Structures are given as C-alpha cells and as structure tokens.
Amino acid sequence: MLDSIYLGMTGLLGYSRGLKVIANNTANMNTPGFKGSTLQFADLFYSNGNLGSGSGGRNYGQVGYGLDTKGTTFNFRQGELRQTSNDLDAAIDGLGLFNLKDDAGNIHYTRAGQFQFNADGVLINRSDNAKVMGIDANGALAEISLSGLKTHAGAVTTTVKFSGNLSSSTTDQTVKGITVIDANGGEHSLTLNFTGVTTTTPGTPSTPGLPPTPGIPSVPNLPTTPGTTIPGFWNVVLMDGTTTVGTGTIQFQNGKPDPSTAKISMTYKAKNMAPVPLVFDFSGDVTSFAGGTLSTLAVASQDGYGPGAMSKATFDPSGNLVLTYSNGQTANAARLALSRFDSLDAVTAVGNNQFAASGTQAWQLGKAGESGFGAVRAGQIEISNVDLSQEFSDLVVMQRGYQSSSQVITTANEMLQELFSMKGK
C-alpha cells in the first residue's frame, strides 16, 4: 500500500511540472521571439516484485515505480511575422537567430529583433542594450556602428541628360532651370539657348562657296542663300545669368540627334570654384519634330547632388544595413550576422527572449539569404509560436492525470485505514 502512495506522488509531481511548463507557455503567448516547450515524461524504473509464482519469462512479475520527467524540449517552429512601426525591427523568415554580445563578452542568440542605435551610434538590443553583431569581410563577428556614416558627401555634376522634343517649327528655344552642383554642394541654375543655324551664322556647317568650319560636319545640298535656316542644325549656348559659359552645336537627322553631336562638352567655372567639365547629353529620349512653337525639351536627370544627413536606417532582405540620406542617396553599411544550430541539444534558454550555446555542439555562422539561412524582414517582428489550442488540450490532460494520481493516493490511504481498523475486530 505504501508503494502505491509513493507511485501516486510521482504522478502528482510529474503532472504539476507539466502544468508549470504549460503555464510558462501561455504566459508568454505575446512575447516576441518566444519558443514554446514541452515536458518529456518517462516511466521511472522497474524491479521484480515477486507478485506471483507463475512460470512466465524473465520479465514476469516486474513492477513499475512511477512517473519521471526528463526535462523540456523547445519547439523552434517559426512564429507569425507582424508589422511594426520601427524600421530597425527585424524578423528572420526562415532559419537563423540574431547574434547579441553582452557587456561581459558573452554571445547570446535571439529571434526577437528589436533593435535601435545608442548614443554612440552602435546598434543594440532594446531590451538589454546588448550589442547586435554583424559579420565582416573575413567572416568574423563585428559590432554595427554608424561611425562616419551619419552624413553623405555631395558629388559634382558631370553629366546632364535631356528628354523631350525640340520643336523644328521655330528657330529659338530656351531651357531654363538646369541645376548643377559644385564641389562644395552649392546649386547653380543655368540656361541653355538653342538658335537655329543659318548660312550666315558663325559656326555654320560647310556650304558651297564657304570655307569649312573645324569640328562641324560637312553637309551636302545646303541652301546657299545668306540668312537661310539650315534644317536640323542648332547652335547651343550655355548661360549663367547673363554670362556665356560655353557654346556648341547639335544636329538632328530625321528627327533624331546625330550621334556625333548628341553630346556637347563644356567647362563651367563657378565663382571661387575650380572649373568643372560638363557633358550635356541629348542621345536619349530627345527628338526634333514640328510641334508648333512649343518645345517639351527639359532636363531628365543630372548626376550631381549636395551633401545630406542620415534620415532613415533599415535592413534589406540580405541583412545589410541600408542608410538613406536627405539628399536622396542610399548606402549599404554593415551586414547582420546570423547563426543556427544543428541539434536542439546545442540550445539553452537564458531568458530575455535569448538563447545560449550549450555543450560541445557547434553553431553555424552565416548571412541572411545564403547557405540555408532565412531572409531578414525589416519593420517586422516574430511573435510567440505558442499554440493556445494545443496548450489548453495539454492542460486538460495534465489535470486529468493529476486527478487520477490523487485518486490512487486516496484509495491506497483508505485501504491502509481499512487494514489498520482490522486490529480491533
């Protein structure tokens, strides 16, 4: 009878531990990056109880001695990814964990990518200020810092590209508001004047009876009457206010720029600045057809930009830190390091949504999107993977097991009382 009470107590102890695991899972149902766990049960041990004198096999008469618990196992199934309002929040869509380094130099791992930059510009974990580790060119862990990256230097304009139609129905056109950037990041608004070439215009292509002009192609069958406009030829003058910066000539054939004159090179010198070579490129989407007196020719793009300050930081799917600046430029900085394990025996939970390596099992270090690692999803967070329906089902099982074990103890106790009461009969 006393053995039966002991066996029932092992059941009570085991199911109470199971209840504790379920309680921990349900309590963390909204914890980012939390991974649920399951308690493992096993029978305790057996011995030959000599319950009978039968002639069965050598296991005849074995008696078990109750319930044992063998620890918990993690469920690393991926949780749902939810959008947040923080560009530095990050989730891993697939395998991998982020690497964190605490003040003592210990490396921990997490699926809860809730990051921010501290006052020193170092990327840290919001919950405990541990440094978020990146991976350098040599494949080693390194901290992610904004040092030297908070501003972006400007670039001098070297090429201005145009698009639109330069009307061939008129002889004078002007394109205003051509912005170029100097070496100090200053902006200058220039103007291009287009004037139709005539047989008396300086720089006219060589015509019958006129000497050839260096650099201008010879075109046959041009009009010889002085003052006659030559179709498809334009003189181009670059103006900075009222100052002439440079001149050039462009020729159109069948409404398209002649490749030999489609790019005009000039040199622009702003006040107190070094000269800057400029190329005006008409070789793209530029035409010259009759369209009344209105031209649609305008600047399509220019490759210069002023200095800018960092305005946004986030991650791309490969885990690169992408910085956006106020001048419209972007730059890739450090890359997040990811780690993964081959066996659950290599993982130990240490709290604060983090895990540590245990035993001698090796962890693999890598990058998002490579070697089996998942992709990084910026502005999202992985929530707990706890399945409430499964937890409630397990809760009922634990409750019934606990009730059954307590009933065994109650019954054994009543049988002992009955035995003790036989003394007075």
Side-chain angles (χ1 to χ4, degrees):
M1 301 297 180
L2 291 176
D3 287 349
S4 298
I5 293 177
Y6 170 75
L7 295 176
M9 290 180 63
T10 63
L12 294 179
L13 181 60
Y15 290 120
S16 65
R17 289 174 178 171
L19 180 62
K20 185 176 181 180
V21 172
I22 295 173
N24 183 60
N25 289 343
T26 55
N28 286 282
M29 61 175 293
N30 291 315
T31 301
F34 179 80
K35 299 302 177 185
S37 57
T38 304
L39 184 65
Q40 302 299 301
F41 292 100
D43 46 0
L44 195 55
F45 65 91
Y46 288 84
S47 68
N48 193 332
N50 296 320
L51 295 181
S53 56
S55 58
R58 61 182 178 179
N59 295 328
Y60 183 81
Q62 274 195 325
V63 178
Y65 277 80
L67 176 67
D68 190 15
T69 54
K70 296 297 184 181
T72 57
T73 58
F74 290 111
N75 172 17
F76 265 89
R77 175 181 55 84
Q78 180 174 312
E80 179 185 346
L81 305 185
R82 289 188 180 176
Q83 200 75 26
T84 70
S85 58
N86 184 6
D87 292 326
L88 288 175
D89 282 345
I92 302 174
D93 189 4
L95 296 178
L97 294 93
F98 299 110
N99 294 255
L100 306 176
K101 185 177 182 180
D102 62 21
D103 292 336
N106 300 313
I107 299 295
H108 291 161
Y109 310 93
T110 184
R111 293 279 295 189
Q114 297 176 295
F115 307 142
Q116 66 181 15
F117 286 103
N118 63 14
D120 297 323
V122 176
L123 189 66
I124 60 172
N125 187 38
R126 289 207 302 269
S127 63
D128 63 351
N129 295 327
K131 293 180 180 178
V132 181
M133 305 306 292
I135 188 167
D136 62 20
N138 297 321
L141 292 176
E143 68 178 36
I144 298 176
S145 173
L146 291 177
S147 177
L149 299 172
K150 293 184 178 181
T151 58
H152 193 281
V156 176
T157 300
T158 59
T159 302
V160 181
K161 294 185 177 182
F162 292 82
S163 64
N165 184 64
L166 180 63
S167 177
S168 61
S169 302
T170 183
T171 58
D172 293 289
Q173 298 289 339
T174 300
V175 178
K176 299 181 179 180
I178 303 172
T179 301
V180 296
I181 310 296
D182 63 31
N184 288 337
E187 295 186 359
H188 303 270
S189 183
L190 307 181
T191 300
L192 276 181
N193 292 327
F194 294 83
T195 304
V197 176
T198 67
T199 53
T200 57
T201 302
T204 299
S206 59
T207 60
L210 294 176
T213 304
I216 303 299
S218 177
V219 181
N221 303 320
L222 290 178
T224 58
T225 304
T228 303
T229 301
I230 304 175
F233 282 87
W234 298 83
N235 278 336
V236 183
V237 179
L238 179 64
M239 304 293 294
D240 184 4
T242 58
T243 303
T244 299
V245 176
T247 62
T249 302
I250 185 172
Q251 176 188 359
F252 290 88
Q253 294 182 352
N254 299 319
K256 292 289 186 179
D258 187 305
S260 64
T261 62
K263 295 182 180 181
I264 301 175
S265 297
M266 301 182 188
T267 299
Y268 173 62
K269 186 181 184 308
K271 185 177 181 181
N272 300 324
M273 299 294 297
V276 176
L278 291 176
V279 175
F280 296 94
D281 187 354
F282 301 89
S283 63
D285 299 323
V286 175
T287 59
S288 183
F289 296 109
T293 59
L294 179 64
S295 289
T296 60
L297 186 66
V299 175
S301 65
Q302 59 93 16
D303 59 359
Y305 50 84
M310 190 184 76
S311 58
K312 180 182 177 181
T314 187
F315 301 100
D316 66 13
S318 296
N320 294 299
L321 178 64
V322 180
L323 305 178
T324 302
Y325 297 89
S326 57
N327 58 5
Q329 302 302 303
T330 61
N332 287 350
R335 191 171 183 180
L336 288 170
L338 300 185
S339 292
R340 74 169 187 262
F341 51 86
D342 293 326
S343 170
L344 287 175
D345 294 334
V347 185
T348 299
V350 294
N352 202 24
N353 304 335
Q354 297 175 21
F355 302 90
S358 63
T360 59
Q361 297 286 338
W363 282 62
Q364 299 181 38
L365 181 65
K367 304 173 183 177
E370 300 179 6
S371 303
F373 286 95
V376 173
R377 304 302 181 197
Q380 300 182 47
I381 196 71
E382 180 183 349
I383 64 172
S384 170
N385 69 348
V386 172
D387 184 351
L388 275 184
S389 61
Q390 183 63 52
E391 297 301 323
F392 288 160
S393 299
D394 292 343
L395 184 62
V396 173
V397 172
M398 297 299 167
Q399 182 182 20
R400 292 293 179 251
Y402 195 92
Q403 290 174 340
S404 300
S405 297
S406 63
Q407 185 62 44
V408 168
I409 295 174
T410 299
T411 301
N413 180 57
E414 291 175 351
M415 292 174 69
L416 281 173
Q417 289 179 346
E418 183 66 26
L419 178 62
F420 292 151
S421 66
M422 292 175 62
K423 180 179 179 181
K425 293 182 179 179

